[in-house]
Amino acid sequence: MIEILPDKCDFCGCCVGICPEDAIELKEAEIKIIEQLCTNCSKCVWSCPIEVLKFNRNGAKNNLNAK
Amino acid sequence: MQNEYDIIVVGAGPAGTMAARFAAEMGVSVLVLEKDRDVGYPVRCGEAVSKAGIEEFIDSDPKFIASVINKFSFIAPDDTEIIIPLEEEGYVLERRIFDYELAKSASEAGAGFLTRAYVNGLLFDNGRVSGVKFEHQGEQKSLTAKIVIAADGVESRVGRWAGLKTHIDFRDMESAVQITAAGINDINNDTCYFYFGKEYAPEGYFWVFPKGNHSANIGLGVGGNIGKKKSALSFLNDFMRKKYPQASVLTTIAGGVPCTPTLNKIVAPGIMLVGDAARQVNPLSGGGIASGMIGGSIAGTVAAESIKQHKPDYILEYEKKWHDRLGKRHLIFNRIKEGIYNFSDEKFNDIAHAVSKVPVENRSIGKVFKTALFNKPSLLVDVAKVFLF
Ligand SMILES: Cc1cc2nc3c(=O)[nH]c(=O)nc-3n(C[C@H](O)[C@H](O)[C@H](O)COP(=O)(O)OP(=O)(O)OC[C@H]3O[C@@H](n4cnc5c(N)ncnc54)[C@H](O)[C@@H]3O)c2cc1C
Ligand code: SF4
Ligand code: SF4
């Protein structure tokens, strides 16, 4: 699953503009991945200019098991 | 605040405020909802714009102009520098003040503003957008409108809720990072600097735009394909270590610049998209201030006409008007961009060497282009490719 490194996000919206699933919620100073919509495609990770997002394989496994 | 407006605009950037102003000037009721606490802040922008680009909308005013630009400097991968005098002046703005002044002009025309209002959904009536849902001061609220104008910037979520496909390919999003730094002593205040090549910003460019008193906006954008391997931040850190190790960094911002042609559909029943949300940025330069204001002004005017004439479907005209004014041109710019993305460092160097033989007073962007071709006929093939495909 996609992990957001704490306190690093600049709330710029770049990742939101490319997310094919509309799975990122961004307020003035608050960001959240909507896990039910996220397909773990990692495009947001590649587009973040300041390395805030990480793909976490273990998390993804847990997420699938949980379903 | 009323419960009902003719037009609700989401987002108070240049595109949203111009949509609001042009609509309000025609006598319809307009409210702008902005999620941030201040209009114009934070500034996610290099702030460079042509004088003509802003004067269509607001008189030049020293209070929002940090520097007046009359030269471009292009720096090739081998450090060859080409200076090109501009035929038309440009500015580096103080966007914080500029955006605020734009909003003030919309407000003087009669538009209302509500900040810290986060729009999180749309209202529908028989499949037609009929208003917005939003969060304000911890409460969930809603407002109805005859037309919603989505000016929500690079994120462009509002349009998606109306069924428009607004997300773009990650390769076409320039991931950008910029610092404003002091202690940049070797730049001229009348020159914008652009660096090209693999080391600086592959599939993009690196910029240094002067802001007066030896300070500058320094940043870059890279396509998602590059960002996948090395982030924009990491390119910026390398550049600063090499060029300006002594600089003091005043602010750092991240951002995304959607460098694509405009979306195919920027109108759906009851809703219009403007600015970055519609992907109206010039895909070659990444500039979106002037083009966003143009998109906003056309949409605002068409929306007000549609309301006054009781013709809801008239808003479709906006798509055509935008396409004729700039959309078509952006298609060509996008092809050129794709051509330039594929230039090797050697090619950038070759062009710079060819142009450096031309006396400065004879240089203009158009002439540089021709000279590059004349001195290096093999480039003709590349340029032809860029223009033809
Ligand atoms: C690093 C960088 C450098 C740039 N440099 C230049 C440059 O030098 N020259 C140039 O011309 N252009 C430049 N651009 C592009 C330019 O900044 C944008 O094209 C321009 O700001 C677009 O204007 P806009 O009104 O469409 O969107 P924005 O200015 O982004 O405004 C959108 C507004 O909508 C608000 N919003 C978003 N979602 C919601 C919601 N759900 N509810 C309420 N409000 C919402 C946002 O808070 C924001 O205020 C640059 C961009 C970046 C990222
Ligand atoms: S991984 Fe893909 S679907 Fe999930 S938030 Fe990122 S871009 Fe969206
Ligand atoms: S792209 Fe990065 S910095 Fe920008 S909003 Fe997304 S996670 Fe935050």
Side-chain angles (χ1 to χ4, degrees):
Chain A
M1 69 190 276
I2 306 300
E3 198 179 311
I4 303 169
L5 301 184
D7 300 325
K8 279 187 75 180
C9 180
D10 193 41
F11 315 108
C12 74
C14 184
C15 57
V16 181
I18 59 91
C19 174
E21 310 299 333
D22 197 22
I24 309 173
E25 169 94 10
L26 182 66
K27 298 190 187 173
E28 181 174 20
E30 204 182 312
I31 183 168
K32 184 169 87 191
I33 308 268
I34 306 163
E35 281 181 27
Q36 301 92 297
L37 298 177
C38 176
T39 59
N40 292 308
C41 73
S42 290
K43 287 175 181 164
C44 55
V45 177
W46 304 331
S47 81
C48 176
I50 56 172
E51 304 172 28
V52 174
L53 303 171
K54 291 273 171 291
F55 178 68
N56 186 330
R57 211 170 286 279
N58 299 328
K61 243 184 204 153
N62 291 342
N63 200 27
L64 285 178
N65 290 343
K67 277 186 191 167
Chain B
M1 202 167 71
Q2 309 151 219
N3 287 327
E4 203 183 312
Y5 287 85
D6 288 323
I7 296 172
I8 287 178
V9 179
V10 184
T17 49
M18 285 305 97
R21 182 171 103 193
F22 277 69
E25 276 171 354
M26 291 178 64
V28 298
S29 64
V30 183
L31 179 70
V32 183
L33 300 177
E34 165 57 51
K35 72 174 171 180
D36 290 345
R37 115 194 4 233
D38 298 303
V39 171
Y41 186 79
V43 176
R44 298 188 192 283
C45 189
E47 306 179 288
V49 71
S50 74
K51 178 180 173 182
I54 69 156
E55 286 198 336
E56 188 177 337
F57 300 97
I58 190 167
D59 291 338
S60 294
D61 188 330
K63 73 178 157 203
F64 56 69
I65 296 169
S67 43
V68 177
I69 301 301
N70 48 49
K71 291 190 203 82
F72 275 178
S73 159
F74 293 112
I75 295 122
D78 68 357
D79 285 341
T80 307
E81 183 183 15
I82 303 290
I83 307 240
I84 301 172
L86 299 178
E87 280 141 54
E88 231 195 288
E89 226 166 57
Y91 300 132
V92 178
L93 298 172
E94 284 299 344
R95 260 198 73 180
R96 188 181 186 151
I97 301 169
F98 177 75
D99 283 23
Y100 185 80
E101 288 299 316
L102 289 182
K104 219 164 86 184
S105 77
S107 150
E108 279 160 8
F113 281 80
L114 188 67
T115 57
R116 302 183 76 182
Y118 172 67
V119 173
N120 55 13
L122 291 171
L123 302 174
F124 291 90
D125 182 7
N126 271 325
R128 218 188 144 76
V129 173
S130 62
V132 297
K133 302 179 193 170
F134 66 103
E135 215 177 271
H136 183 238
Q137 296 173 334
E139 267 182 69
Q140 185 64 36
K141 301 179 179 170
S142 66
L143 281 172
T144 58
K146 297 193 178 85
I147 295 169
V148 171
I149 297 182
D152 55 330
V154 63
E155 295 147 66
S156 195
R157 295 187 72 208
V158 177
R160 298 187 200 203
W161 303 330
L164 296 172
K165 177 192 166 291
T166 70
H167 73 269
I168 60 167
D169 192 285
F170 77 98
R171 285 166 289 220
D172 292 328
M173 182 71 86
E174 289 279 312
S175 298
V177 61
Q178 174 183 280
I179 56 174
T180 304
I184 310 300
N185 297 323
D186 63 346
I187 52 167
N188 291 320
N189 235 351
D190 64 352
T191 308
C192 278
Y193 300 82
F194 301 86
Y195 293 77
F196 292 91
K198 289 205 168 43
E199 186 189 335
Y200 297 120
E203 296 194 6
Y205 63 83
F206 204 108
W207 65 84
V208 177
F209 296 162
K211 290 206 72 177
N213 297 323
H214 305 292
S215 70
N217 288 338
I218 302 178
L220 77 148
V222 292
N225 244 351
I226 302 295
K228 202 169 163 176
K229 291 162 222 141
K230 179 172 171 177
S231 72
L233 180 64
S234 163
F235 280 104
L236 178 72
N237 290 340
D238 289 351
F239 181 90
M240 292 308 286
R241 257 194 301 273
K242 180 175 160 193
K243 290 266 175 190
Y244 299 111
Q246 314 293 353
S248 22
V249 176
L250 307 176
T251 57
T252 308
I253 55 99
V257 192
C259 289
T260 63
T262 311
L263 300 174
N264 283 331
K265 281 182 64 64
I266 53 176
V267 174
I271 186 166
M272 306 160 92
L273 272 52
V274 298
D276 278 18
R279 313 314 185 191
Q280 287 173 334
V281 171
N282 173 339
L284 180 58
S285 66
I289 303 172
S291 59
M293 290 195 290
I294 290 171
S297 65
I298 301 174
T301 307
V302 169
E305 279 170 0
S306 141
I307 288 164
K308 292 180 83 167
Q309 297 171 14
H310 305 285
K311 285 191 194 146
D313 294 340
Y314 181 71
I315 61 173
L316 266 173
E317 283 295 301
Y318 160 55
E319 258 173 22
K320 186 177 173 318
K321 285 181 199 271
W322 163 258
H323 194 65
D324 290 346
R325 175 79 200 268
L326 277 183
K328 270 183 206 159
R329 214 186 303 172
H330 284 186
L331 284 170
I332 297 169
F333 288 158
N334 191 56
R335 266 177 257 155
I336 298 177
K337 174 198 92 170
E338 283 171 356
I340 292 176
Y341 271 13
N342 291 325
F343 278 8
S344 63
D345 280 6
E346 292 69 41
K347 195 145 289 164
F348 282 123
N349 293 336
D350 283 353
I351 296 173
H353 299 160
V355 175
S356 60
K357 294 186 191 121
V358 182
V360 172
E361 59 275 16
N362 291 344
R363 291 179 200 165
S364 68
I365 296 207
K367 276 189 195 145
V368 160
F369 212 52
K370 283 181 208 141
T371 315
L373 293 180
F374 186 73
N375 283 281
K376 184 89 183 146
S378 65
L379 283 178
L380 194 59
V381 181
D382 298 309
V383 174
K385 272 193 215 141
V386 161
F387 277 101
L388 294 177
F389 298 103

